Amino acid sequence: MSATSPQPMFGTVAFIGIGLIGASLALAMKRHGMAGRILAAARRQETLDTALRLGIADDASTDIADVVKDADLVMVCTPVGVCGEVARAIAPFLKPGAIVSDVGSVKGAVIRDMKAALPPSVAFVPGHPLAGTEFSGPEAGFAELFEGRWCVLTPLPETPRAAVEIVAEMWRKAGSNVDTMDPEHHDQVLAITSHLPHLIAYTIVGTAVDLGTDIKQEVIKYSASGFRDFTRIAASDPVMWRDVFLNNRDAVLDVLQRFTEDLTALQRAIRRGEGDTLERHFTRTRAIRRGIIDAKQA
Amino acid sequence: MSATSPQPMFGTVAFIGIGLIGASLALAMKRHGMAGRILAAARRQETLDTALRLGIADDASTDIADVVKDADLVMVCTPVGVCGEVARAIAPFLKPGAIVSDVGSVKGAVIRDMKAALPPSVAFVPGHPLAGTEFSGPEAGFAELFEGRWCVLTPLPETPRAAVEIVAEMWRKAGSNVDTMDPEHHDQVLAITSHLPHLIAYTIVGTAVDLGTDIKQEVIKYSASGFRDFTRIAASDPVMWRDVFLNNRDAVLDVLQRFTEDLTALQRAIRRGEGDTLERHFTRTRAIRRGIIDAKQA
């Protein structure tokens, strides 16, 4: 089915949570004619008013039952910490044969929490689009967010293959490349590529803030020297990231431990004036940048 | 004197070291008509051949005496670890009244090393343009590198005011905003805004490399989730950065210690599942990003 087909992929799509990711996907679905109707649920009426005003959803309600009962696809786009609670809330109202998917940055814990609540009559396709910005809320959403980015699906052994393929096709229409992966492996890869970088960026920006008011102004003024890139990352949604660290704890603590050991080794080299150790380390890391440029992810 | 004046600011400018920063400044000088003649010295003939071929310098030599003897301005653009050695090498050949300046990312150690060697007949204006890319060598240079960026000058009590003003004017013509600062304060501010971010980026990329070949490929593939920004920083020139850490050791170790304490506190909060601590920290750091955007440094 092409993007210009008069028959959309889904009759009704329900978004539970309509922040940056949910709103962007809803807008991409609209642009590419993927949904007959898009409904949104959120805790706060204000969020839904914004989504309606911006044309992100066709209808919206704080009553989750209203939103999911006719849905062919339910996209759970909340912070990962409430995915289990959402699954329990929607379970009684889901249409048999519906597909339930999510966008959480952690897959093991989300699967554990949601799987227990969802009825066997629905197909659960856990997913994670590797895309985002430092902005949040529905007003931050844009249809192009997923273009050229990866989306990782981590289906369960019991997930019907056809449902996985439909969700994959949705992400491809939104412009993403789709991979499938074991949930545990996903969580390990993301711990190093995403979760640890965010934790470190949050930390260093906090360290700078604590240096005091006078130096803080200068940190802002001279941020282009490296610090700036960290502040962008450290401006990401606090609740989303709180939940990521709480729900991918073991993998994050493991890479954090490795990082700390490596940092301590460099600290020791600086203290002892061991220039060779520093130069050797700094030369090695250049190669990985080259790989990223070659993979067109730069 | 305007950029279009037929009379350049300097008759002859000598660059000692013609990598990314030196080459970019030479190109900016040419574009804005700041120098009658640009000469370059470097250790390797190959570097000079590249500089000549790209029109960065009008003439070049590996013999430092040849290059500096007629210079009105000598720009030392080497890694900071050899600035003292360069000062000793050029000292016997400097023209009385010449201005000597540098571009080092560390000011205290560079001033200590160079000041001891330079004769009182020249004006020493230590400087640091806060600009750069992850590329190095003369072929990486471009005339616009300094546009909209800060350049910090850290003059000594004995530096003639007129010489400081001439160097400031040169950086302004190259497009920079110029600040003056105490060298020690400069080194503290840069330790947090630039040196620590680079050390951390080098560390995390190294940690990822060590995870093994299979995961390394995935790290590259999925780098857009935060890791990518670190790899760009960690691709910076290894020798330049080795010298920065060795020469700004105390300030770097101080902020590194603070960073490690803060990271340990977050690690503890993750291990204990203390969501409130995490959320509170992540909320605080958002404000500083706002400040950077407002300061137009984003």
Side-chain angles (χ1 to χ4, degrees), chain A residues 1-5 7-10 25 28-29 32-35 73 75 99 101 125 146 149 151-153 160-180:
Chain A
M1 201 180 299
S2 86
T4 54
S5 161
Q7 182 74 357
M9 291 178 77
F10 306 105
L25 181 58
M29 285 186 149
H32 302 290
M34 289 191 253
L73 171 69
M75 287 300 309
I99 295 172
S101 188
V125 186
F146 308 107
R149 295 297 164 207
C151 180
V152 177
L153 301 181
R161 215 175 158 139
V164 177
E165 188 39 47
I166 288 170
V167 173
E169 181 60 18
M170 172 193 80
W171 285 111
R172 281 192 288 264
K173 280 184 194 284
S176 293
N177 302 306
V178 178
D179 257 356
T180 58

Side-chain angles (χ1 to χ4, degrees), chain A residues 234-250:
Chain A
S236 302
D237 188 68
V239 172
M240 175 198 148
W241 281 99
R242 176 199 69 192
D243 282 5
V244 166
F245 295 118
L246 295 178
N247 286 280
N248 197 22
R249 190 176 67 175
D250 294 346

Side-chain angles (χ1 to χ4, degrees), chain A residues 125-141:
Chain A
V125 186
H128 176 208
L130 278 64
T133 73
E134 72 267 39
F135 304 105
S136 43
E139 62 277 21

Side-chain angles (χ1 to χ4, degrees), chain A residues 30-41:
Chain A
K30 288 199 168 236
R31 174 172 300 178
H32 302 290
M34 289 191 253
R37 206 161 60 117
I38 290 180
L39 307 181

Side-chain angles (χ1 to χ4, degrees), chain A residues 17 29 57 80 153 196 220 240 249 263 274 285:
Chain A
M29 285 186 149
V80 293
L153 301 181
L196 182 61
I220 289 173
M240 175 198 148
R249 190 176 67 175
L263 185 61
E274 293 168 359
T285 55

Side-chain angles (χ1 to χ4, degrees), chain A residues 186-199:
Chain A
H186 166 278
D187 289 354
Q188 286 170 347
V189 170
L190 270 287
I192 182 71
T193 55
S194 175
H195 306 172
L196 182 61
H198 276 80
L199 185 68

Side-chain angles (χ1 to χ4, degrees), chain A residues 179 185 218 222 229 232, chain B residues 179 185 218 222 229 232 235:
Chain A
D179 257 356
H185 187 65
E218 293 183 307
Y222 304 120
D229 295 321
R232 194 185 57 72
Chain B
D179 258 355
H185 187 65
E218 293 183 306
Y222 304 120
D229 295 321
R232 192 185 57 72

